[in-house]
Amino acid sequence: MLKASRKQMARARQGTEEYYQFIYLTSEFINHGRLLMKMKIAVLTGGGDCPGLNGAVKWVTKSATDQWLGSKRSMSFEVIGITDGWRGLVDVDPDDPKSLAKYTRPLDEEIVRTWDRYGGTNLGTSRTNPFNPKNDRSEILLDNIKKLGIDVVVAIGGEDTLGAAYSLHKLGIKTVGIPKTIDNDLVGTDYSIGFDTAVNVITEEIDRLRTTAGSHSRIFVVETMGRHAGWLALHGGECSGAYIILIPEHPFNLDEICTLLQERKGREIRYAILVVSEGAKPVGQKEFITSSKIDEFGHVALGGIAKFVADEIEGRTSLETRHLILSHLQRGGTPSAHDRLMARWFGIAAVDMIINEDFGRMASLQRGEITSVPLKECIGKLKLVDTVKYYDKERYNGRRSIIS
């Protein structure tokens, strides 16, 4: 019987230890998937800016890169921000360092730590439509996503931005949506980021307007945003105590408006505030437009209805009337507490959806609970004001009876 030397036995023991160490590391590798399951998330903001966007980007980043949560997950994440919305993913040249620096930004917890305090979008935005039938750049988009090594695209936006995200999803790219629009007209969610802050802006501006309106005994017509949905005008008007509110969902009769104003004349009230959505229109007429130029999603710019209504009122009643267009003021300023909270919830939900592989869906608030809905159910139609439930068609204002 042959006897092994001490050196041979030591090598055998060392080999056994190395073998078991290999088995252990392989097991850990398989169980935790640190290398196999690393994913790159690209987050972008599209369409009109609004307060709360930065908060959503922050919480996507913080949730994805949180080390404590990472120790409990089967995957790890890298997050990059895409500047200027879909335009960033279309125009970036992945082989050019200067282009990469212009259109992409690495994000981590330290970088985004204070972002939720600020309005607008630090990533920038645009109304670029990569699927525009007149200028289809979807192949460039797909190629850039592949070259950048992006695994998931998180798109924060309204119907147009999320429509592009859905088109991308149909082409095989993993996408997740976060609802954003001050119009609050997205189907599938009770709330969209930016709405509460915009309503607060309307309320604050009308509060200021009352002092000059009362001083001069004037009527003021205030124009808000709201192309097809009157939620901004309705809630802004209700919160500010407007006498008359005009919304796109119910064409108005100018004779009836003037009668309501004449009835108020002579009482102790020296002025009146009317709030009108930019998409509101008189009976039998179309929306007022400021420019016939069509953007990449097929929209024209609306506006001018407040001046029209003010001129008509003064001409028909001789009551001194002025108009004010709030315009982009509604998109500005720091986010309200509610928008900061919703940005947090939606950002966290987006990462949960990625982990659960719920792609092609949008984070959603329904009946007070955070959930998700298919993107295809959120586009092609809008959530409009139910004029039976929420609108008094005779007084042109919010309902004064809620429980029916």
Side-chain angles (χ1 to χ4, degrees):
M1 183 176 179
L2 295 175
K3 293 184 179 180
S5 68
R6 291 183 179 180
K7 288 184 178 180
Q8 288 175 324
M9 292 178 67
R11 280 198 295 268
R13 283 196 298 271
Q14 184 179 1
T16 302
E17 291 171 0
E18 289 175 351
Y19 171 75
Y20 282 114
Q21 185 179 17
F22 171 77
I23 293 297
Y24 172 77
L25 291 174
T26 301
S27 175
E28 288 293 294
F29 182 82
I30 293 171
N31 289 337
H32 297 287
R34 296 300 179 210
L35 299 177
L36 285 177
M37 297 300 293
K38 186 166 186 177
M39 300 182 72
K40 180 184 280 190
I41 299 172
V43 58
L44 61 85
T45 58
D49 71 302
C50 69
L53 291 173
N54 287 323
V57 175
K58 168 182 174 174
W59 285 103
V60 168
T61 304
K62 283 181 68 69
S63 300
T65 60
D66 185 287
Q67 292 185 3
W68 187 81
L69 288 175
S71 66
K72 301 175 179 297
R73 292 171 177 161
S74 60
M75 61 185 70
S76 61
F77 298 102
E78 174 188 354
V79 183
I80 62 169
I82 304 297
T83 64
D84 300 336
W86 293 116
R87 185 170 67 197
L89 274 180
V90 170
D91 289 352
V92 65
D93 180 354
D95 299 319
D96 181 359
K98 289 185 178 180
S99 181
L100 280 173
K102 180 180 179 180
Y103 291 114
T104 67
R105 295 180 60 179
L107 300 177
D108 60 34
E109 290 192 75
E110 277 303 307
I111 291 173
V112 301
R113 184 176 59 85
T114 63
W115 279 26
D116 55 345
R117 307 172 194 174
Y118 305 107
T121 166
N122 291 352
L123 293 179
T125 186
S126 70
R127 295 193 181 276
T128 298
N129 179 11
F131 297 92
N132 184 353
K134 297 180 179 179
N135 184 23
D136 192 323
R137 289 159 288 178
S138 57
E139 289 188 12
I140 298 173
L141 180 69
L142 288 169
D143 189 49
N144 285 341
I145 289 173
K146 181 179 179 181
K147 287 181 177 179
L148 291 170
I150 295 169
D151 297 298
V152 185
V153 176
V154 176
I156 309 170
E159 186 200 14
D160 295 331
T161 300
L162 297 181
Y166 178 59
S167 296
L168 198 57
H169 170 69
K170 289 192 294 183
L171 293 175
I173 301 299
K174 297 173 182 177
T175 61
V176 168
I178 292 178
K180 175 277 317 178
T181 165
I182 64 172
D183 290 346
N184 202 34
D185 59 1
L186 272 172
V187 172
T189 182
D190 295 338
Y191 190 80
S192 298
I193 292 171
F195 179 66
D196 184 68
T197 306
V199 170
N200 284 333
V201 170
I202 295 169
T203 305
E204 291 167 6
E205 294 304 319
I206 292 177
D207 284 349
R208 291 185 176 92
L209 194 61
R210 286 186 181 281
T211 58
T212 186
S215 298
H216 293 273
S217 298
R218 286 173 177 160
I219 296 171
F220 269 89
V221 183
V222 180
E223 183 176 311
T224 72
M225 289 184 173
R227 177 180 296 274
H228 301 296
W231 295 110
L232 262 184
L234 181 60
H235 284 284
E238 288 176 326
C239 291
S240 62
Y243 181 52
I244 289 173
I245 303 170
L246 306 178
I247 59 176
E249 292 86 345
H250 181 67
F252 59 88
N253 185 304
L254 276 165
D255 290 333
E256 294 174 355
I257 300 299
C258 291
T259 298
L260 288 169
L261 291 168
Q262 291 281 23
E263 289 176 355
R264 204 180 205 202
K265 185 180 178 182
R267 288 190 272 167
E268 73 280 4
I269 303 167
R270 294 166 54 85
Y271 67 94
I273 302 290
L274 285 73
V275 176
V276 53
S277 175
E278 65 181 356
K281 51 191 177 293
V283 174
Q285 296 190 38
K286 294 183 178 181
E287 300 92 343
F288 285 70
I289 63 173
T290 58
S291 171
S292 58
K293 183 179 179 181
I294 300 175
D295 69 14
E296 292 200 21
F297 290 96
H299 304 309
V300 295
L302 300 185
I305 184 64
K307 183 180 186 306
F308 170 79
V309 171
D311 290 346
E312 287 293 318
I313 290 172
E314 186 160 323
R316 294 175 184 224
T317 65
S318 298
L319 297 171
E320 189 176 2
T321 310
R322 298 286 187 272
H323 75 280
L324 178 70
I325 302 175
L326 293 181
S327 188
H328 291 81
L329 286 174
Q330 296 158 93
R331 296 191 180 281
T334 58
S336 66
H338 188 61
D339 269 324
R340 296 184 197 200
L341 182 64
M342 293 310 304
R344 177 186 178 118
W345 285 359
F346 284 149
I348 293 171
V351 177
D352 287 345
M353 291 161 65
I354 293 171
I355 292 171
N356 295 329
E357 299 186 349
D358 292 332
F359 301 117
R361 300 176 71 86
M362 178 188 78
S364 168
L365 177 73
Q366 295 184 10
R367 298 183 179 181
E369 298 291 333
I370 298 294
T371 182
S372 70
V373 293
L375 281 170
K376 65 180 178 181
E377 295 180 6
C378 306
I379 59 177
K381 54 185 175 180
L382 297 172
K383 180 181 69 180
L384 304 178
V385 174
D386 185 333
T387 56
V388 174
K389 280 185 176 182
Y390 304 115
Y391 194 67
D392 187 332
K393 298 177 183 178
E394 294 181 352
R395 300 196 205 191
Y396 291 98
N397 209 307
R399 286 279 305 273
R400 294 198 183 185
S401 59
I402 296 176
I403 301 176
S404 57

